[in-house]
Amino acid sequence: MQLINTVLGGLSVGVVYAAFALALVLIWQSTRIVNFAQAPMAMVTTFVALTLIDAGASYWVAFAVALAAGFVLGALVERLVIRYVDHDNHINPVILTLGLFIVLHALAAVIFGSSFTSFPAPFGLSGVQVGGTTLALTPFSIFSVLCVLAVMALLRLLFLKTDLGLTMRAAAFNQEVARILGVRVTRTLTLGWALASLVGSLSGLLIAGGGLVHPSYMDGVVVYGFVAAVLGGLDSAGGAVVGGLLMGVTLSLVSGYLGSGLVPLAALVVLVVVLLVKPGGLFSTSVERAV
């Protein structure tokens, strides 16, 4: 039973990693940038939701407003900051997102404070009872799984079945050619950032549900969510979900049987192994070409 609960607990955490990995996949597919500021952006929108809840708004109203705030925040970051960076050197936007990581942390501490604050959950946090046995599976974790699966399906539909998704991918791969073909590249990139920030906000709300929030509460998700995205493949929404679940279960097993102190090392080992064996990720659709 301990093994079953450890795995179930890992799946519950892995769902959050998967949600964050989906945001990274979305921003990568639409802009070819890895946004390390995604976590503090999600943290800010979570505090927006908490502020509304403390003011008397219902959870679902705060949930919707936080997602909308994430969409707007992503668009503003692209239009006011990212757009003016030299994209010829691909490392420049990445370094800028690391700077945004620090700035947003500092601003959140000033505006919302640095104290730990409880965040409500819309569903129960008690384990499901099966034949007198309590499983490490809560109604809220089931809700999280359904949210992540819905986002994965929508992203696959967007990028594989819609003209908008194909346009976003074209603008991300080659902006000059896309412009020649009539694509409004700047508007497309802004939309990509906005949608990725919205998905990131969802991950922030899911990890906050029933827990404590503070300006740094999303920091650990950056590492594990990034490893999950690399594990599944930055070009695959389904891979991000599988990668997140695998990371959650793996780290839960390591923590439960070897000690929580080895969890960061286990994440590093997974990342190194993936980069050595299959750098594109388990579900990568890219094909190597001989020259």
Side-chain angles (χ1 to χ4, degrees):
M1 185 54 66
Q2 179 183 355
L3 176 61
I4 294 176
N5 280 329
T6 300
V7 172
L8 289 175
L11 290 175
S12 298
V13 176
V15 167
V16 176
Y17 299 156
F20 189 80
L22 282 172
L24 294 179
V25 166
L26 177 53
I27 195 68
W28 174 258
Q29 287 191 323
S30 57
T31 67
R32 309 315 278 184
I33 294 174
V34 177
N35 179 19
F36 287 105
Q38 191 70 71
M41 290 169 67
M43 173 268 297
V44 168
T45 59
T46 300
F47 270 104
V48 169
L50 181 61
T51 301
L52 290 174
I53 292 173
D54 289 341
S58 71
Y59 176 90
W60 296 112
V61 170
F63 186 91
V65 171
L67 295 183
F71 185 90
V72 173
L73 179 60
L76 289 176
V77 167
E78 194 283 328
R79 290 187 66 87
L80 300 179
V81 181
I82 301 297
R83 180 173 299 186
Y84 300 100
V85 180
D86 181 12
H87 287 69
D88 291 335
N89 185 347
H90 296 296
I91 196 64
N92 289 344
V94 176
I95 293 175
L96 182 57
T97 63
L98 291 172
L100 285 172
F101 185 101
I102 298 172
V103 171
L104 290 174
H105 263 289
L107 289 176
V110 171
I111 297 173
F112 302 109
S114 300
S115 60
F116 289 71
T117 308
S118 62
F119 193 92
F123 302 104
L125 298 173
S126 300
V128 176
Q129 294 284 338
V130 178
T133 301
T134 302
L135 298 179
L137 184 67
T138 68
F140 182 71
S141 64
I142 296 174
F143 168 72
S144 300
V145 170
L146 295 177
C147 285
V148 170
L149 291 178
V151 172
M152 178 193 71
L154 290 173
L155 289 185
R156 287 184 60 85
L157 180 65
L158 172 66
F159 284 112
L160 298 180
K161 301 296 183 180
T162 68
D163 292 337
L164 175 60
L166 295 176
T167 300
M168 293 172 68
R169 297 181 69 181
F173 274 105
N174 196 316
Q175 295 184 17
E176 293 303 322
V177 173
R179 285 192 180 95
I180 294 174
L181 295 175
V183 176
R184 296 182 177 180
V185 173
T186 55
R187 183 176 299 181
T188 301
L189 295 179
T190 300
L191 179 60
W193 274 83
L195 290 175
S197 182
L198 185 153
V199 176
S201 296
L202 175 63
S203 71
L205 293 168
L206 293 181
I207 194 174
L212 298 174
V213 296
H214 52 93
S216 301
Y217 88 98
M218 285 284 292
D219 288 2
V221 182
V222 176
V223 177
Y224 303 133
F226 176 73
V227 175
V230 173
L231 175 60
L234 282 168
D235 284 311
S236 172
V241 174
V242 174
L245 296 178
L246 286 176
M247 278 298 299
V249 172
T250 300
L251 298 184
S252 181
L253 290 173
V254 170
S255 177
Y257 291 95
L258 299 179
S260 59
L262 294 177
V263 168
L265 178 60
L268 176 61
V269 170
V270 171
L271 179 61
V272 171
V273 170
V274 172
L275 292 177
L276 289 175
V277 176
K278 194 170 183 182
L282 299 178
F283 297 88
S284 174
T285 55
S286 60
V287 180
E288 296 182 355
R289 295 182 299 174
V291 296

